[in-house]
Amino acid sequence: MDRTTLCAQSLACIMPGTRVRNCPVDKKLRNTNQRQAPEAIGKTELRLMNSRGRELLLKYWDFPLFASTLRRHGISLADKSVLDAGCGSGYTLTLIWERFHPAVLTAFDIVPSQVELAKARGTPATVLVADITSLQLPSEAFDAVFVCGVLHHCREWRRGIAEVARVLRSGGVLLIEEPDRAHLRFERKLTGHSPALDAGFSLEGLRSEMRRSGLGVLTHRPLYFGLFGSFVCVKGAGVVGEYYAARHLLRSPSESEFVAGQQAPA
């Protein structure tokens, strides 16, 4: 069975009303949040998001960092259900498909023109128009969610985190990359506004909000001289010293993976 067929069948399970043939979703889901206007993201911001420089950073820095963190903790997204939250023109969608090999790949963006660009890439995925702060998606439907530079565009970014946590399964992983306040202040000079900055967005605030939504931070890495931060979180994770244990995605390393004298953490 090829991945496109598997994608369709699995999506039908998590989204009742989905037609399996050619992986389409029903009209109600496909038209989710069509009320959102394209100008929700400004033209300057769209140019920055879709720039070749941004794509290169994602391909050769951000995503390899995500992948190495997952490998280090024994987490595989192969044959899992994955959501790309705020997929833009679909470049991150392609990276997720090629690098992590999910069985089911779903994505959304608030800007309809970006959704059309993402669909045109031909990645085997269901792509919707939706708002991260008000998702019409089932609770606990995904094993992993990627959020790459999306929340800092939202005044209601706290609601966005809560929605991401809601659609993530217990033990699932959130992979998120966002800028800190210094970059947001610079971005405001370029674009003339910064709704999340006005609403108190910062990496420390983001970390606190993720904790409030039941997302335990597995790792946090500074990016680009500290202007951005990269997080890998686990929903429902329990803290044991400096270690986090998820219910079903994390595994304990086997004894053969340790050098002489090393022991696995409790």
Side-chain angles (χ1 to χ4, degrees), residues 112-174:
S113 62
Q114 293 290 93
V115 169
E116 293 307 310
L117 289 173
K119 290 179 178 179
R121 288 183 183 269
T123 305
T126 298
V127 189
L128 316 167
V129 176
D131 180 348
I132 195 171
T133 67
S134 181
L135 295 175
Q136 303 301 311
L137 293 171
S139 297
E140 300 202 353
F142 300 97
D143 298 299
V145 178
F146 286 81
V147 181
C148 296
V150 177
L151 288 171
H152 73 281
H153 294 294
C154 309
R155 181 176 296 277
E156 299 295 329
W157 59 273
R158 295 178 180 86
R159 287 178 56 189
I161 279 292
E163 280 291 87
V164 166
R166 180 183 65 79
V167 301
L168 192 62
R169 289 186 179 126
S170 181
V173 291
L174 167 66

Short mmCIF file of all heavy atoms in Angstrom, two decimals, residues 112-174:
data_model
loop_
_atom_site.label_atom_id
_atom_site.label_comp_id
_atom_site.label_asym_id
_atom_site.label_seq_id
_atom_site.Cartn_x
_atom_site.Cartn_y
_atom_site.Cartn_z
N PRO A 112 -5.13 32.15 2.26
CA PRO A 112 -5.56 31.25 1.18
C PRO A 112 -4.57 31.13 0.03
O PRO A 112 -4.37 30.04 -0.51
CB PRO A 112 -6.88 31.88 0.72
CG PRO A 112 -7.40 32.58 1.94
CD PRO A 112 -6.18 33.12 2.62
N SER A 113 -3.92 32.23 -0.35
CA SER A 113 -2.97 32.16 -1.46
C SER A 113 -1.77 31.28 -1.11
O SER A 113 -1.22 30.59 -1.98
CB SER A 113 -2.49 33.56 -1.84
OG SER A 113 -1.81 34.18 -0.75
N GLN A 114 -1.37 31.27 0.16
CA GLN A 114 -0.28 30.40 0.60
C GLN A 114 -0.69 28.93 0.55
O GLN A 114 0.10 28.06 0.19
CB GLN A 114 0.16 30.78 2.02
CG GLN A 114 0.81 32.15 2.14
CD GLN A 114 2.17 32.19 1.48
OE1 GLN A 114 2.30 32.55 0.31
NE2 GLN A 114 3.20 31.82 2.21
N VAL A 115 -1.93 28.67 0.92
CA VAL A 115 -2.45 27.31 0.87
C VAL A 115 -2.44 26.79 -0.57
O VAL A 115 -2.07 25.63 -0.83
CB VAL A 115 -3.87 27.25 1.46
CG1 VAL A 115 -4.54 25.91 1.17
CG2 VAL A 115 -3.82 27.49 2.96
N GLU A 116 -2.80 27.64 -1.51
CA GLU A 116 -2.78 27.23 -2.92
C GLU A 116 -1.36 26.92 -3.38
O GLU A 116 -1.14 25.96 -4.13
CB GLU A 116 -3.42 28.31 -3.80
CG GLU A 116 -4.91 28.50 -3.57
CD GLU A 116 -5.67 27.19 -3.68
OE1 GLU A 116 -5.47 26.47 -4.69
OE2 GLU A 116 -6.46 26.87 -2.78
N LEU A 117 -0.39 27.73 -2.94
CA LEU A 117 1.00 27.45 -3.29
C LEU A 117 1.46 26.13 -2.69
O LEU A 117 2.18 25.36 -3.33
CB LEU A 117 1.90 28.59 -2.78
CG LEU A 117 1.80 29.93 -3.52
CD1 LEU A 117 2.62 30.99 -2.79
CD2 LEU A 117 2.26 29.80 -4.96
N ALA A 118 1.05 25.88 -1.44
CA ALA A 118 1.44 24.63 -0.78
C ALA A 118 0.85 23.43 -1.51
O ALA A 118 1.53 22.41 -1.70
CB ALA A 118 0.98 24.65 0.68
N LYS A 119 -0.39 23.53 -1.92
CA LYS A 119 -1.02 22.43 -2.66
C LYS A 119 -0.32 22.18 -3.99
O LYS A 119 -0.18 21.03 -4.43
CB LYS A 119 -2.50 22.75 -2.90
CG LYS A 119 -3.37 22.70 -1.67
CD LYS A 119 -4.81 23.05 -2.01
CE LYS A 119 -5.72 22.95 -0.80
NZ LYS A 119 -7.12 23.32 -1.13
N ALA A 120 0.13 23.26 -4.63
CA ALA A 120 0.75 23.14 -5.94
C ALA A 120 2.09 22.41 -5.90
O ALA A 120 2.57 21.94 -6.93
CB ALA A 120 0.95 24.53 -6.55
N ARG A 121 2.70 22.29 -4.73
CA ARG A 121 3.98 21.58 -4.62
C ARG A 121 3.81 20.08 -4.83
O ARG A 121 4.78 19.38 -5.12
CB ARG A 121 4.61 21.83 -3.25
CG ARG A 121 5.15 23.23 -3.06
CD ARG A 121 5.83 23.39 -1.71
NE ARG A 121 6.28 24.74 -1.49
CZ ARG A 121 7.50 25.20 -1.81
NH1 ARG A 121 8.38 24.37 -2.35
NH2 ARG A 121 7.84 26.45 -1.57
N GLY A 122 2.60 19.58 -4.64
CA GLY A 122 2.35 18.17 -4.89
C GLY A 122 2.76 17.23 -3.77
O GLY A 122 2.78 16.01 -3.97
N THR A 123 3.06 17.76 -2.60
CA THR A 123 3.38 16.90 -1.45
C THR A 123 2.13 16.14 -1.05
O THR A 123 1.04 16.72 -0.97
CB THR A 123 3.86 17.75 -0.26
OG1 THR A 123 4.96 18.57 -0.70
CG2 THR A 123 4.32 16.88 0.89
N PRO A 124 2.22 14.82 -0.78
CA PRO A 124 1.05 14.03 -0.39
C PRO A 124 0.53 14.47 0.99
O PRO A 124 0.93 13.93 2.01
CB PRO A 124 1.57 12.59 -0.35
CG PRO A 124 2.85 12.62 -1.12
CD PRO A 124 3.43 13.97 -0.91
N ALA A 125 -0.32 15.47 1.00
CA ALA A 125 -0.82 16.02 2.26
C ALA A 125 -2.18 16.65 2.04
O ALA A 125 -2.55 17.02 0.92
CB ALA A 125 0.15 17.07 2.80
N THR A 126 -2.93 16.76 3.12
CA THR A 126 -4.18 17.52 3.11
C THR A 126 -3.87 18.91 3.64
O THR A 126 -3.35 19.05 4.75
CB THR A 126 -5.23 16.84 4.01
OG1 THR A 126 -5.51 15.54 3.50
CG2 THR A 126 -6.50 17.66 4.06
N VAL A 127 -4.15 19.94 2.84
CA VAL A 127 -3.80 21.31 3.20
C VAL A 127 -5.08 22.15 3.29
O VAL A 127 -5.89 22.17 2.37
CB VAL A 127 -2.83 21.93 2.18
CG1 VAL A 127 -2.32 23.27 2.70
CG2 VAL A 127 -1.66 20.99 1.90
N LEU A 128 -5.25 22.84 4.42
CA LEU A 128 -6.47 23.57 4.72
C LEU A 128 -6.18 25.04 4.98
O LEU A 128 -5.06 25.42 5.33
CB LEU A 128 -7.13 23.00 5.99
CG LEU A 128 -7.21 21.49 6.14
CD1 LEU A 128 -7.58 21.13 7.57
CD2 LEU A 128 -8.21 20.92 5.16
N VAL A 129 -7.21 25.87 4.82
CA VAL A 129 -7.18 27.25 5.29
C VAL A 129 -7.71 27.24 6.72
O VAL A 129 -8.83 26.80 6.96
CB VAL A 129 -8.03 28.18 4.42
CG1 VAL A 129 -8.05 29.60 5.01
CG2 VAL A 129 -7.50 28.22 2.99
N ALA A 130 -6.90 27.69 7.67
CA ALA A 130 -7.31 27.65 9.07
C ALA A 130 -6.49 28.65 9.88
O ALA A 130 -5.43 29.11 9.46
CB ALA A 130 -7.16 26.25 9.65
N ASP A 131 -7.01 28.97 11.05
CA ASP A 131 -6.38 29.90 12.00
C ASP A 131 -5.88 29.09 13.19
O ASP A 131 -6.66 28.36 13.81
CB ASP A 131 -7.43 30.92 12.44
CG ASP A 131 -6.90 31.96 13.42
OD1 ASP A 131 -5.78 31.78 13.95
OD2 ASP A 131 -7.62 32.95 13.66
N ILE A 132 -4.61 29.21 13.52
CA ILE A 132 -4.02 28.42 14.60
C ILE A 132 -4.68 28.70 15.95
O ILE A 132 -4.63 27.86 16.84
CB ILE A 132 -2.50 28.68 14.69
CG1 ILE A 132 -1.80 27.61 15.55
CG2 ILE A 132 -2.21 30.09 15.22
CD1 ILE A 132 -0.29 27.67 15.51
N THR A 133 -5.34 29.85 16.09
CA THR A 133 -5.97 30.16 17.36
C THR A 133 -7.38 29.60 17.48
O THR A 133 -8.00 29.70 18.54
CB THR A 133 -6.03 31.69 17.58
OG1 THR A 133 -6.93 32.28 16.62
CG2 THR A 133 -4.66 32.32 17.45
N SER A 134 -7.89 28.99 16.40
CA SER A 134 -9.25 28.44 16.42
C SER A 134 -9.36 27.31 15.41
O SER A 134 -9.97 27.47 14.34
CB SER A 134 -10.28 29.54 16.12
OG SER A 134 -11.60 29.03 16.17
N LEU A 135 -8.80 26.17 15.74
CA LEU A 135 -8.73 25.05 14.81
C LEU A 135 -9.99 24.19 14.86
O LEU A 135 -10.42 23.78 15.93
CB LEU A 135 -7.50 24.18 15.12
CG LEU A 135 -6.14 24.83 14.93
CD1 LEU A 135 -5.04 23.88 15.40
CD2 LEU A 135 -5.93 25.22 13.48
N GLN A 136 -10.54 23.91 13.69
CA GLN A 136 -11.66 22.99 13.59
C GLN A 136 -11.12 21.60 13.28
O GLN A 136 -11.43 20.99 12.25
CB GLN A 136 -12.63 23.47 12.53
CG GLN A 136 -13.16 24.87 12.74
CD GLN A 136 -13.90 25.00 14.07
OE1 GLN A 136 -14.76 24.19 14.38
NE2 GLN A 136 -13.56 26.02 14.84
N LEU A 137 -10.27 21.09 14.15
CA LEU A 137 -9.66 19.78 14.00
C LEU A 137 -9.92 18.97 15.26
O LEU A 137 -10.08 19.53 16.35
CB LEU A 137 -8.14 19.92 13.78
CG LEU A 137 -7.68 20.58 12.47
CD1 LEU A 137 -6.18 20.85 12.51
CD2 LEU A 137 -8.02 19.68 11.27
N PRO A 138 -9.96 17.65 15.14
CA PRO A 138 -10.26 16.81 16.31
C PRO A 138 -9.18 16.92 17.38
O PRO A 138 -8.00 17.13 17.08
CB PRO A 138 -10.30 15.39 15.73
CG PRO A 138 -10.45 15.56 14.26
CD PRO A 138 -9.78 16.85 13.91
N SER A 139 -9.57 16.78 18.63
CA SER A 139 -8.62 16.74 19.73
C SER A 139 -7.80 15.46 19.67
O SER A 139 -8.29 14.41 19.24
CB SER A 139 -9.35 16.83 21.08
OG SER A 139 -10.03 18.05 21.20
N GLU A 140 -6.55 15.55 20.09
CA GLU A 140 -5.63 14.40 20.18
C GLU A 140 -5.59 13.60 18.87
O GLU A 140 -5.67 12.38 18.86
CB GLU A 140 -6.00 13.51 21.37
CG GLU A 140 -5.92 14.25 22.69
CD GLU A 140 -5.77 13.31 23.87
OE1 GLU A 140 -5.84 12.08 23.68
OE2 GLU A 140 -5.55 13.80 24.99
N ALA A 141 -5.46 14.32 17.75
CA ALA A 141 -5.47 13.67 16.44
C ALA A 141 -4.08 13.44 15.86
O ALA A 141 -3.94 12.65 14.91
CB ALA A 141 -6.28 14.51 15.45
N PHE A 142 -3.03 14.08 16.42
CA PHE A 142 -1.72 14.04 15.78
C PHE A 142 -0.63 13.58 16.75
O PHE A 142 -0.64 13.92 17.93
CB PHE A 142 -1.37 15.42 15.23
CG PHE A 142 -2.35 15.92 14.21
CD1 PHE A 142 -3.38 16.78 14.58
CD2 PHE A 142 -2.28 15.50 12.89
CE1 PHE A 142 -4.30 17.23 13.65
CE2 PHE A 142 -3.20 15.94 11.96
CZ PHE A 142 -4.22 16.80 12.33
N ASP A 143 0.32 12.83 16.20
CA ASP A 143 1.47 12.38 16.98
C ASP A 143 2.54 13.46 17.09
O ASP A 143 3.36 13.44 18.02
CB ASP A 143 2.11 11.14 16.34
CG ASP A 143 1.15 9.96 16.30
OD1 ASP A 143 0.72 9.53 17.38
OD2 ASP A 143 0.82 9.48 15.20
N ALA A 144 2.56 14.38 16.14
CA ALA A 144 3.55 15.45 16.15
C ALA A 144 2.97 16.68 15.46
O ALA A 144 2.19 16.56 14.51
CB ALA A 144 4.83 15.02 15.47
N VAL A 145 3.37 17.86 15.95
CA VAL A 145 2.97 19.12 15.34
C VAL A 145 4.23 19.97 15.16
O VAL A 145 5.02 20.13 16.10
CB VAL A 145 1.94 19.89 16.20
CG1 VAL A 145 1.60 21.22 15.54
CG2 VAL A 145 0.68 19.06 16.41
N PHE A 146 4.41 20.52 13.96
CA PHE A 146 5.49 21.46 13.68
C PHE A 146 4.91 22.87 13.64
O PHE A 146 3.89 23.11 12.99
CB PHE A 146 6.13 21.16 12.33
CG PHE A 146 7.03 19.95 12.32
CD1 PHE A 146 6.48 18.68 12.21
CD2 PHE A 146 8.40 20.09 12.41
CE1 PHE A 146 7.30 17.55 12.19
CE2 PHE A 146 9.23 18.96 12.39
CZ PHE A 146 8.68 17.69 12.28
N VAL A 147 5.58 23.80 14.31
CA VAL A 147 5.20 25.22 14.29
C VAL A 147 6.47 26.01 14.01
O VAL A 147 7.29 26.20 14.90
CB VAL A 147 4.56 25.67 15.61
CG1 VAL A 147 4.16 27.14 15.53
CG2 VAL A 147 3.35 24.81 15.97
N CYS A 148 6.64 26.47 12.78
CA CYS A 148 7.88 27.14 12.39
C CYS A 148 7.62 28.63 12.12
O CYS A 148 7.19 29.02 11.02
CB CYS A 148 8.47 26.48 11.16
SG CYS A 148 8.96 24.76 11.42
N GLY A 149 7.85 29.45 13.13
CA GLY A 149 7.73 30.89 12.98
C GLY A 149 6.33 31.37 12.69
O GLY A 149 6.13 32.24 11.83
N VAL A 150 5.35 30.82 13.40
CA VAL A 150 3.95 31.16 13.15
C VAL A 150 3.35 32.01 14.26
O VAL A 150 2.69 33.02 14.01
CB VAL A 150 3.11 29.87 12.99
CG1 VAL A 150 1.64 30.20 12.81
CG2 VAL A 150 3.62 29.05 11.81
N LEU A 151 3.59 31.62 15.51
CA LEU A 151 2.89 32.25 16.64
C LEU A 151 3.22 33.73 16.80
O LEU A 151 2.39 34.50 17.28
CB LEU A 151 3.23 31.50 17.93
CG LEU A 151 2.58 30.13 18.08
CD1 LEU A 151 3.16 29.41 19.29
CD2 LEU A 151 1.07 30.23 18.20
N HIS A 152 4.42 34.14 16.39
CA HIS A 152 4.78 35.55 16.59
C HIS A 152 4.03 36.48 15.65
O HIS A 152 4.15 37.70 15.74
CB HIS A 152 6.29 35.75 16.46
CG HIS A 152 6.81 35.66 15.07
ND1 HIS A 152 7.02 34.45 14.43
CD2 HIS A 152 7.18 36.62 14.18
CE1 HIS A 152 7.49 34.68 13.22
NE2 HIS A 152 7.60 35.99 13.04
N HIS A 153 3.23 35.91 14.75
CA HIS A 153 2.36 36.72 13.90
C HIS A 153 0.98 36.93 14.54
O HIS A 153 0.16 37.66 13.98
CB HIS A 153 2.17 36.04 12.54
CG HIS A 153 3.42 35.96 11.72
ND1 HIS A 153 4.07 37.06 11.21
CD2 HIS A 153 4.15 34.87 11.33
CE1 HIS A 153 5.14 36.68 10.53
NE2 HIS A 153 5.22 35.35 10.60
N CYS A 154 0.73 36.27 15.67
CA CYS A 154 -0.63 36.22 16.24
C CYS A 154 -0.72 37.01 17.55
O CYS A 154 0.03 36.75 18.49
CB CYS A 154 -1.04 34.78 16.53
SG CYS A 154 -0.83 33.65 15.14
N ARG A 155 -1.66 37.92 17.59
CA ARG A 155 -1.92 38.60 18.87
C ARG A 155 -2.41 37.60 19.91
O ARG A 155 -2.05 37.68 21.09
CB ARG A 155 -2.95 39.71 18.67
CG ARG A 155 -3.26 40.50 19.95
CD ARG A 155 -4.22 41.64 19.66
NE ARG A 155 -3.63 42.62 18.77
CZ ARG A 155 -2.82 43.60 19.17
NH1 ARG A 155 -2.51 43.72 20.46
NH2 ARG A 155 -2.31 44.45 18.30
N GLU A 156 -3.22 36.64 19.49
CA GLU A 156 -3.76 35.63 20.41
C GLU A 156 -2.87 34.39 20.42
O GLU A 156 -3.34 33.26 20.29
CB GLU A 156 -5.19 35.27 19.99
CG GLU A 156 -6.18 36.42 20.01
CD GLU A 156 -6.39 36.95 21.41
OE1 GLU A 156 -6.30 36.16 22.37
OE2 GLU A 156 -6.66 38.17 21.54
N TRP A 157 -1.56 34.59 20.56
CA TRP A 157 -0.62 33.48 20.47
C TRP A 157 -0.81 32.47 21.59
O TRP A 157 -0.54 31.29 21.42
CB TRP A 157 0.82 34.01 20.47
CG TRP A 157 1.21 34.82 21.67
CD1 TRP A 157 1.04 36.16 21.84
CD2 TRP A 157 1.85 34.34 22.86
NE1 TRP A 157 1.54 36.56 23.06
CE2 TRP A 157 2.04 35.46 23.71
CE3 TRP A 157 2.28 33.09 23.28
CZ2 TRP A 157 2.63 35.35 24.96
CZ3 TRP A 157 2.87 32.97 24.53
CH2 TRP A 157 3.04 34.10 25.35
N ARG A 158 -1.30 32.91 22.75
CA ARG A 158 -1.55 31.97 23.86
C ARG A 158 -2.64 30.98 23.48
O ARG A 158 -2.56 29.78 23.79
CB ARG A 158 -1.93 32.73 25.12
CG ARG A 158 -0.80 33.60 25.68
CD ARG A 158 -1.25 34.38 26.91
NE ARG A 158 -0.19 35.21 27.44
CZ ARG A 158 0.08 36.46 27.00
NH1 ARG A 158 -0.65 36.99 26.02
NH2 ARG A 158 1.06 37.15 27.53
N ARG A 159 -3.68 31.46 22.80
CA ARG A 159 -4.73 30.56 22.32
C ARG A 159 -4.17 29.61 21.27
O ARG A 159 -4.59 28.44 21.19
CB ARG A 159 -5.87 31.37 21.72
CG ARG A 159 -6.72 32.10 22.76
CD ARG A 159 -7.80 32.93 22.11
NE ARG A 159 -8.67 32.15 21.23
CZ ARG A 159 -9.57 32.66 20.41
NH1 ARG A 159 -9.72 33.98 20.35
NH2 ARG A 159 -10.32 31.89 19.67
N GLY A 160 -3.21 30.09 20.48
CA GLY A 160 -2.59 29.22 19.48
C GLY A 160 -1.88 28.04 20.12
O GLY A 160 -2.00 26.90 19.66
N ILE A 161 -1.13 28.31 21.20
CA ILE A 161 -0.44 27.22 21.91
C ILE A 161 -1.45 26.24 22.49
O ILE A 161 -1.27 25.02 22.43
CB ILE A 161 0.45 27.79 23.03
CG1 ILE A 161 1.76 28.29 22.44
CG2 ILE A 161 0.75 26.76 24.09
CD1 ILE A 161 2.65 27.19 21.91
N ALA A 162 -2.52 26.77 23.07
CA ALA A 162 -3.55 25.90 23.66
C ALA A 162 -4.18 25.01 22.59
O ALA A 162 -4.46 23.83 22.83
CB ALA A 162 -4.61 26.75 24.35
N GLU A 163 -4.42 25.55 21.40
CA GLU A 163 -5.00 24.76 20.31
C GLU A 163 -4.04 23.68 19.83
O GLU A 163 -4.45 22.55 19.56
CB GLU A 163 -5.39 25.68 19.15
CG GLU A 163 -6.71 26.39 19.34
CD GLU A 163 -7.88 25.42 19.30
OE1 GLU A 163 -8.22 24.84 20.35
OE2 GLU A 163 -8.44 25.20 18.21
N VAL A 164 -2.77 24.03 19.70
CA VAL A 164 -1.78 23.03 19.30
C VAL A 164 -1.73 21.89 20.31
O VAL A 164 -1.69 20.71 19.95
CB VAL A 164 -0.39 23.69 19.17
CG1 VAL A 164 0.71 22.64 19.08
CG2 VAL A 164 -0.36 24.59 17.93
N ALA A 165 -1.74 22.24 21.59
CA ALA A 165 -1.72 21.21 22.64
C ALA A 165 -2.98 20.34 22.58
O ALA A 165 -2.91 19.13 22.80
CB ALA A 165 -1.59 21.86 24.01
N ARG A 166 -4.11 20.94 22.24
CA ARG A 166 -5.37 20.20 22.19
C ARG A 166 -5.36 19.14 21.11
O ARG A 166 -5.82 18.01 21.32
CB ARG A 166 -6.54 21.17 21.95
CG ARG A 166 -7.91 20.48 21.89
CD ARG A 166 -9.02 21.46 21.59
NE ARG A 166 -8.90 22.04 20.26
CZ ARG A 166 -9.26 21.44 19.13
NH1 ARG A 166 -9.75 20.21 19.15
NH2 ARG A 166 -9.13 22.05 17.96
N VAL A 167 -4.84 19.47 19.92
CA VAL A 167 -4.89 18.51 18.81
C VAL A 167 -3.75 17.49 18.86
O VAL A 167 -3.74 16.53 18.09
CB VAL A 167 -4.88 19.24 17.44
CG1 VAL A 167 -6.05 20.19 17.34
CG2 VAL A 167 -3.56 19.97 17.20
N LEU A 168 -2.81 17.69 19.80
CA LEU A 168 -1.68 16.76 19.94
C LEU A 168 -2.06 15.63 20.89
O LEU A 168 -2.65 15.85 21.94
CB LEU A 168 -0.49 17.53 20.50
CG LEU A 168 0.89 16.85 20.49
CD1 LEU A 168 1.34 16.53 19.07
CD2 LEU A 168 1.90 17.77 21.18
N ARG A 169 -1.71 14.42 20.51
CA ARG A 169 -2.00 13.27 21.36
C ARG A 169 -1.13 13.28 22.60
O ARG A 169 -0.03 13.82 22.61
CB ARG A 169 -1.75 11.97 20.59
CG ARG A 169 -2.77 11.71 19.51
CD ARG A 169 -2.59 10.34 18.88
NE ARG A 169 -3.61 10.13 17.86
CZ ARG A 169 -3.37 9.80 16.60
NH1 ARG A 169 -2.13 9.64 16.19
NH2 ARG A 169 -4.36 9.65 15.74
N SER A 170 -1.60 12.65 23.66
CA SER A 170 -0.79 12.49 24.86
C SER A 170 0.46 11.69 24.51
O SER A 170 0.38 10.63 23.91
CB SER A 170 -1.61 11.76 25.94
OG SER A 170 -0.85 11.60 27.10
N GLY A 171 1.61 12.22 24.87
CA GLY A 171 2.87 11.60 24.51
C GLY A 171 3.40 12.06 23.17
O GLY A 171 4.51 11.70 22.78
N GLY A 172 2.62 12.89 22.45
CA GLY A 172 3.06 13.42 21.16
C GLY A 172 4.07 14.54 21.33
O GLY A 172 4.25 15.07 22.43
N VAL A 173 4.72 14.91 20.24
CA VAL A 173 5.78 15.91 20.30
C VAL A 173 5.40 17.18 19.54
O VAL A 173 4.78 17.12 18.48
CB VAL A 173 7.12 15.36 19.77
CG1 VAL A 173 7.68 14.33 20.72
CG2 VAL A 173 6.98 14.80 18.38
N LEU A 174 5.78 18.31 20.12
CA LEU A 174 5.66 19.61 19.47
C LEU A 174 7.07 20.07 19.12
O LEU A 174 7.94 20.13 19.99
CB LEU A 174 5.00 20.62 20.40
CG LEU A 174 5.09 22.09 19.97
CD1 LEU A 174 4.31 22.32 18.68
CD2 LEU A 174 4.57 23.00 21.08
#
